[in-house]
Amino acid sequence: MSKIEARLQELGITLPVPAAPVANYVPFVRSGNLIHISGQISNDGTGRYKGTVGVDVSLEEATEAARVCGINLLAQMKAAVGDLDTVVRVVKLGAFVQAGPDFYDVPQVVNGCSNLMVEVLGEAGKHARSAVGVYKIPLGFAVEVDAVIEVADRL
């Protein structure tokens, strides 16, 4: 078992089957040692992370929704590279929160994903990021996060 797989097991995280694209795009693109992962929505299969943060989704629920996005990103990373131990660094996260008109705690929401990356990947999980409040996210989900990761050279 790889080091990262063992860490996921220790944290009680089971990676889902990576989501298939819902439009004309691919889940990830590799260019050299960088992998760009398409936005992952806060879909845990139950539909509970839908809605507008600050209106019908609380800060706590939205933070958990961002964590779900992180788990979905990890699943896509694994699909892209096979072995998560080849991840050198999470370079950047781009996060979008479906925010109500008076909701300004977008960075706190995105910490749900950022904290997960560090919990699972350690130093390699520390990243640059954007955290943006938006009017709507596809399919009505509360949070969406995309990523750029660096991976080790191919053998």
Side-chain angles (χ1 to χ4, degrees):
M1 178 182 298
S2 78
K3 180 179 136 190
I4 300 303
E5 293 288 337
R7 181 67 179 142
L8 287 167
Q9 188 174 15
E10 181 182 307
L11 292 169
I13 297 171
T14 301
L15 296 182
V17 173
V22 296
N24 188 16
Y25 64 92
V26 294
F28 54 83
V29 171
R30 182 172 182 154
S31 180
N33 287 9
L34 293 179
I35 298 177
H36 294 257
I37 302 173
S38 296
Q40 300 299 300
I41 54 178
S42 52
N43 185 359
D44 70 347
T46 68
R48 71 178 167 158
Y49 297 113
K50 285 187 171 187
T52 302
V53 183
V55 175
D56 47 12
V57 176
S58 71
L59 173 60
E60 294 75 22
E61 291 167 323
T63 303
E64 182 60 30
R67 184 177 175 87
V68 167
C69 292
I71 291 168
N72 292 337
L73 283 169
L74 289 166
Q76 290 292 0
M77 286 180 207
K78 184 172 181 177
V81 299
D83 181 359
L84 289 172
D85 283 354
T86 65
V87 174
V88 172
R89 165 161 230 117
V90 176
V91 176
K92 184 170 184 189
L93 297 179
F96 306 91
V97 175
Q98 185 168 281
D102 296 319
F103 186 80
Y104 299 99
D105 292 332
V106 172
Q108 289 79 358
V109 168
V110 180
N111 283 343
C113 185
S114 292
N115 293 345
L116 176 73
M117 291 299 144
V118 175
E119 279 181 75
V120 172
L121 300 169
E123 281 296 310
K126 293 183 178 178
H127 54 273
R129 77 173 194 195
S130 299
V132 181
V134 297
Y135 175 66
K136 293 289 179 195
I137 288 180
L139 307 174
F141 284 93
V143 182
E144 179 176 348
V145 184
D146 61 37
V148 178
I149 63 168
E150 178 186 2
V151 295
D153 288 331
R154 295 182 189 194
L155 299 175

